[in-house]
Amino acid sequence: QVQLVESGGGLVQAGGSLRLSCAASGRTFSRYSMGWFRQTPGKEREFVAAISWSGGRTYYADSVKGRFTISRDNAKNTVSLQMNSLKPEDTAVYYCAAEGGVNDYADLRLTTFGSWGQGTQVTVSS
């Protein structure tokens, strides 16, 4: 199993940008599909973005498409989420997630991720 640690959260004004990073342990990171999810109090955790283990396929929630970009560096065991044009409704705790053994062409919006980080708070002020 892979261990995940998120960083990069914080407070930003609406319209601003933040870059979240997730550092993963383990020598098989390159075989893990990676995702970002977010959760606000009283709501279920929701899918934000995901990237296949090869980096060749990416998926986004409609609410962030065109504003957020997910990327990975398999040499550094990291996955990042660049968030631009942030809105107050993007305020949430953001979680990094990983799942191994997923076909590179699988729709990651339908994938159940088994490993999770502790989360990082993102607050967007209006």
Side-chain angles (χ1 to χ4, degrees):
Q1 200 152 355
V2 64
Q3 305 297 318
L4 305 171
V5 179
E6 303 97 335
S7 60
L11 173 65
V12 64
Q13 287 190 329
S17 298
L18 278 177
R19 186 176 180 87
L20 304 183
S21 293
C22 175
S25 64
R27 285 181 272 181
T28 58
F29 173 77
S30 62
R31 289 298 183 179
Y32 280 84
S33 301
M34 302 297 297
W36 287 96
F37 292 74
R38 66 188 182 187
Q39 189 171 25
T40 54
K43 291 189 176 181
E44 290 189 359
R45 191 173 297 182
E46 67 170 354
F47 171 82
V48 175
I51 187 166
S52 64
W53 60 262
S54 71
R57 302 177 78 86
T58 57
Y59 302 84
Y60 296 94
D62 289 343
S63 58
V64 307
K65 202 171 293 183
R67 300 188 297 121
F68 291 11
T69 303
I70 188 171
S71 61
R72 67 187 297 159
D73 186 336
N74 286 344
K76 296 182 178 180
N77 282 15
T78 59
V79 61
S80 299
L81 185 68
Q82 177 66 43
M83 306 186 294
N84 298 328
S85 302
L86 283 161
K87 304 175 181 180
E89 51 264 43
D90 294 319
T91 296
V93 177
Y94 284 71
Y95 297 89
C96 177
E99 182 63 18
V102 181
N103 186 291
D104 200 45
Y105 291 89
D107 188 340
L108 296 179
R109 293 167 296 188
L110 306 178
T111 296
T112 299
F113 287 80
S115 298
W116 295 85
Q118 83 288 350
T120 185
Q121 176 71 46
V122 171
T123 303
V124 184
S125 63
S126 58

